[in-house]
Amino acid sequence: MNFLVPLVVMLPLLGAASTLILGRRPRGQRIVAVGTLTAVLAIGVVMLFVVDDSAPLALEVGGWQAPFGIVLIVDRLAALMLVVSALVLLAVLIFSVGQGLADGDHETPVSIYYPTYLILAAGVFTAFIAGDLFNLYVGFEILLVSSYVLITLGGTEARIRAGVTYIVVSLLSSLLFLAAIAMIYGAVGTVNIAQISVRMAEIPQDVQVILHVMLLVAFGIKAAVFPLSFWLPDSYPTAPAPVTAVFAGLLTKVGVYAIIRTETVIFPGPELNTPLMVVALLTMVVGVLGAVSQADIKRILSFTLVSHIGYMILGISLGTAAGTGAAIYYIVHHIVVQATLFLAAGLIERVGGSTSITKLGGLLKAAPVIAVLYFIPALNLGGIPPFSGFIGKLALFEASAAQGTPLAYVLIAAGALVSLLTLYALVRVWNMAFWRSSDEVKDYDSTLLHNVSEAPNAPVMQKTRTAPKLMVAATAGMVVVSLALTVFAGPLYAIAARAGENLEGPSFYVDIVFPGGIDE
């Protein structure tokens, strides 16, 4: 089954080329784009069953053996990430198709949107299966270059301004990552991740710490961990709804994925576990405090995105199989739920004419289906039982309690508080946008709206529009998937736990790349 591995990258690239050729045939572009991501999703599901039932998949590209050639690897973690990423990319693509059919090409010009979107998908998939640091860097650059185009679609002043900030920060992160790769190669003579993990023990401890920190900072910027998350709340909300949903759901998780590989394979020691726990704590708290102070729904969701990255870093920082497994489950949950909430925000903006809770009201009566599509993932993200958000947080808290340190208990308390504040911020949106009547909006005075900040350069009220059935269906499909994460939490968490056990030390990953043993 190794032949399936490169297809997850080749198909989106071929699809991008095909949609570019079909630039004047929007219908053909849509068919190719949807068909491509459907095929990748099917391949990902097949590989997930294969690697979970038998053994990981590894392909030496061009027949060149590792460490001299490129190795593509699909283990349980990579397979899970491929499946959930392809699923979200497909759902958001269908959402954008519905938007394009209703509004034309103003928000997402199809001549460039579909090729760029598929290239973004190829970059995400490349990052997940890369077996060496340089191709991980290539995957990052592919998705970042395409994201530069997507974040500025429409060419409005706000999007260009946000795009410039996003580009500058991303370039700095990429330069730091590339410098770290060069230094690691100079120190150990290879960029193959498995071989690095074996040779790194021969490097002086102070050099290891420097290289370790450089990688964590580079990936931390991409994952938006505090204090490297300053760019995200001003960048994501300005993009079109489908673009924002993909960015929020996937791009930061690629950074988290890279941190998992760094902490479990390249630098599996506990040297930086405590600093990572502190970073997790600050990320959770600072992010949610930003969320409760915002009036714009997209900015609220952007700050909750930052906050919940902290939960993932918490699981990674524990340095245990239980913690890593819980973090993997929470990543899968968060990709789906966060993307769903941003799609719901896009529907709210469409039918309400704004995303500011100070200007919205009466949507429960005007759009009851959208009210449900927002309410369910909001409760899920807030960690209400029995949803997957509660299951993931509980698993993280149990892994933290098993460690038993004072800092671990502080993180449990902070995580519980952050969950309550997340629920408060999201339920406040429900109360203002859906529950109160439209007649109350103008003269409404509530403590819920005191001391909240509007988005910088907030747009005026837009003309309200109906929500196309395809956009609603795509969002509803994502809500169903989020519920499936709860219904099938047992099997899914079992796979995540097994993935965590595989990552407890670098030996499992090394054996995938070098099944016959490694010549250091």
Side-chain angles (χ1 to χ4, degrees), residues 35 76 147 152 160 179 196 213 231 243 253 275 297 306 309-310 371 384 397 402 429 435 455 484 505:
R76 288 189 177 94
S147 66
T152 55
I160 297 298
I196 290 171
V213 170
W231 56 272
V243 174
K253 309 313 182 301
I297 298 174
V306 172
I309 293 294
I384 296 297
F397 295 164
V429 172
W435 191 252

Side-chain angles (χ1 to χ4, degrees), residues 223-226 253 256 260 276-277 279-285 287-288 303-318 322-331 333-334 338 380-384 389-397 399-400 410-423:
V225 300
F226 182 84
K253 309 313 182 301
V256 175
I260 292 177
L276 274 177
M277 294 176 78
V279 167
L281 173 64
L282 293 174
T283 303
M284 286 191 292
V285 173
V288 80
F303 275 104
T304 61
L305 167 60
V306 172
S307 178
H308 285 246
I309 293 294
Y311 286 101
M312 304 167 205
I313 302 301
L314 164 60
I316 298 169
S317 67
L318 296 175
T324 305
I328 292 170
Y329 179 83
Y330 200 82
I331 290 170
H333 145 80
H334 195 263
Q338 192 77 48
N380 199 338
L381 192 66
I384 296 297
F390 171 78
I391 297 170
K393 291 183 178 72
L394 182 62
L396 288 168
F397 295 164
S400 300
V410 169
L411 280 161
I412 293 173
L417 177 61
V418 167
S419 187
L420 291 174
L421 290 176
T422 300
L423 186 63

Side-chain angles (χ1 to χ4, degrees), residues 190-281:
T190 184
V191 293
N192 181 279
I193 294 174
Q195 194 170 33
I196 290 171
S197 69
V198 175
R199 293 185 176 181
M200 191 58 68
E202 305 170 1
I203 306 303
Q205 187 64 33
D206 54 346
V207 177
Q208 289 189 43
V209 171
I210 293 172
L211 298 175
H212 194 173
V213 170
M214 288 184 69
L215 285 180
L216 285 180
V217 172
F219 297 147
I221 295 173
K222 299 179 187 299
V225 300
F226 182 84
L228 307 172
S229 57
F230 62 91
W231 56 272
L232 190 148
D234 290 328
S235 299
Y236 283 9
T238 62
V243 174
T244 305
V246 167
F247 283 19
L250 291 181
L251 297 198
T252 51
K253 309 313 182 301
V254 179
V256 175
Y257 170 86
I259 292 175
I260 292 177
R261 292 298 189 196
T262 300
E263 294 304 299
T264 59
V265 181
I266 302 176
F267 298 101
E271 291 80 12
L272 295 184
N273 284 0
T274 299
L276 274 177
M277 294 176 78
V278 174
V279 167
L281 173 64

